[in-house]
Amino acid sequence: MSGSSGGASPARRMGEVAAVVSAITAVAGLLLAVFGVPLVGGSSPLGRGVAADGTSTTESVAAPSASASPSVSVSASASASASASGAANGPDSGSGSASDSDSGSGSGSGAASASASASASSCSPSLPEDWRRVKEAALTACFGRPGGWSEVPASEVQSTWRSPDGEYDLSIKRDRSYGSTPQAASAGQLAWYRDSAESSMADLKVTTHTTRQNGRDALWVEIDYHWVKQSEPRKRLEVFVAGRAGYVYQLLVDTSATAQRLAEQTRLFATARKSLLIDVTAT
């Protein structure tokens, strides 16, 4: 008669392994039930999010426009029209150095452009303490806006924010209706502005400057005007910079042309330019 083996039989070992696997599976299932499974891609509810630096961010998608025009029409009312325009204006600091500031990179080299793209992926550069970051997924852009400002319905290609007193509008637009270069986009936008029936703007006086934005050649435009049927002078500052896929980004700040408001406009525009990130693809 043969002697029995000192070890467990293969069938018994397989049974023990199966029991261990079953126990591990049960524990894993319990942990998942308790802690939950994160959403794919780290998604968060629309309108809310957390930036990489831990600060709260506002995420929104511009409401669809009822107009078929590439530029969103401006209301004839001074209080409602400052940000309804389809263009994004750049701030005029009144000095060459301010207009030449590069809000995305310190130089126009390929390394600078790569740095700007890396920053865009994070969508979380530093902002003044009283500013908040806005991520516009539909525009593939991130930018800063002062705290307490409210969003104004614009269009699917534009996001506009207004100060609590209604005196300032800050807007960003991404479009390719007029061309893929800052020069072409600004020319098309200015032509639309000069059509008073569409824009409600009159007596435009325009000054343009070459500048740098996000590590790229850009165009800075100053526009002095007034609303149709209103005599109060106004100032609109815009910067145009080319993005990917033939799109051009416009950033603007608009206000009435009083000494105090123009000084604040310059500050707002400079800060908004520094905060602007384009071609943002990160979720």
Side-chain angles (χ1 to χ4, degrees):
M1 185 171 81
S2 62
S4 60
S5 173
S9 67
R12 180 179 177 182
R13 289 175 181 171
M14 291 181 62
E16 291 175 348
V17 170
V20 171
V21 172
S22 177
I24 292 174
T25 301
V27 172
L30 178 61
L31 291 175
L32 289 174
V34 172
F35 296 104
V37 180
L39 297 177
V40 175
S43 303
S44 61
L46 184 64
R48 300 182 63 184
V50 179
D53 59 0
T55 58
S56 296
T57 64
T58 302
E59 297 183 4
S60 58
V61 177
S65 169
S67 171
S69 169
S71 300
V72 182
S73 63
V74 181
S75 167
S77 166
S79 63
S81 58
S83 66
S85 158
N89 300 340
D92 177 7
S93 63
S95 69
S97 61
S99 68
D100 291 339
S101 64
D102 174 9
S103 61
S105 170
S107 72
S109 66
S113 298
S115 175
S117 298
S119 297
S121 297
S122 65
C123 201
S124 59
S126 61
L127 290 171
E129 185 176 355
D130 57 341
W131 280 55
R132 301 292 180 268
R133 176 150 295 281
V134 179
K135 179 179 179 182
E136 287 288 358
L139 306 183
T140 64
C142 292
F143 60 98
R145 53 89 177 170
W149 286 36
S150 56
E151 189 171 16
V152 178
S155 76
E156 68 276 6
V157 299
Q158 181 178 353
S159 176
T160 299
W161 294 78
R162 179 167 296 160
S163 62
D165 59 8
E167 296 297 338
Y168 300 92
D169 279 5
L170 186 157
S171 182
I172 184 169
K173 178 187 173 188
R174 176 179 179 262
D175 192 19
R176 55 183 176 186
S177 300
Y178 300 129
S180 60
T181 67
Q183 291 76 14
S186 63
Q189 189 66 69
L190 289 170
W192 186 83
Y193 284 161
R194 290 188 173 102
D195 185 349
S196 296
E198 290 290 333
S199 69
S200 296
M201 301 168 74
D203 297 330
L204 276 69
K205 296 179 181 179
V206 179
T207 304
T208 61
H209 316 266
T210 57
T211 185
R212 299 286 294 176
Q213 179 71 37
N214 296 91
R216 306 171 186 180
D217 291 336
L219 200 63
W220 161 39
V221 182
E222 304 176 63
I223 305 171
D224 294 285
Y225 73 101
H226 64 84
W227 297 125
V228 172
K229 298 182 180 180
Q230 296 184 24
S231 60
E232 180 186 42
R234 299 189 65 84
K235 185 86 169 184
R236 178 167 289 191
L237 302 174
E238 308 190 5
V239 65
F240 294 77
V241 60
R244 296 173 183 165
Y247 285 95
V248 175
Y249 290 83
Q250 297 170 253
L251 176 70
L252 77 83
V253 177
D254 185 286
T255 191
S256 56
T258 65
Q260 179 179 357
R261 287 174 183 158
L262 290 177
E264 178 65 7
Q265 180 188 44
T266 296
R267 185 186 71 84
L268 291 170
F269 184 63
T271 304
R273 283 188 64 179
K274 291 178 181 178
S275 75
L276 176 62
L277 296 175
I278 64 175
D279 296 323
V280 176
T281 57
T283 55

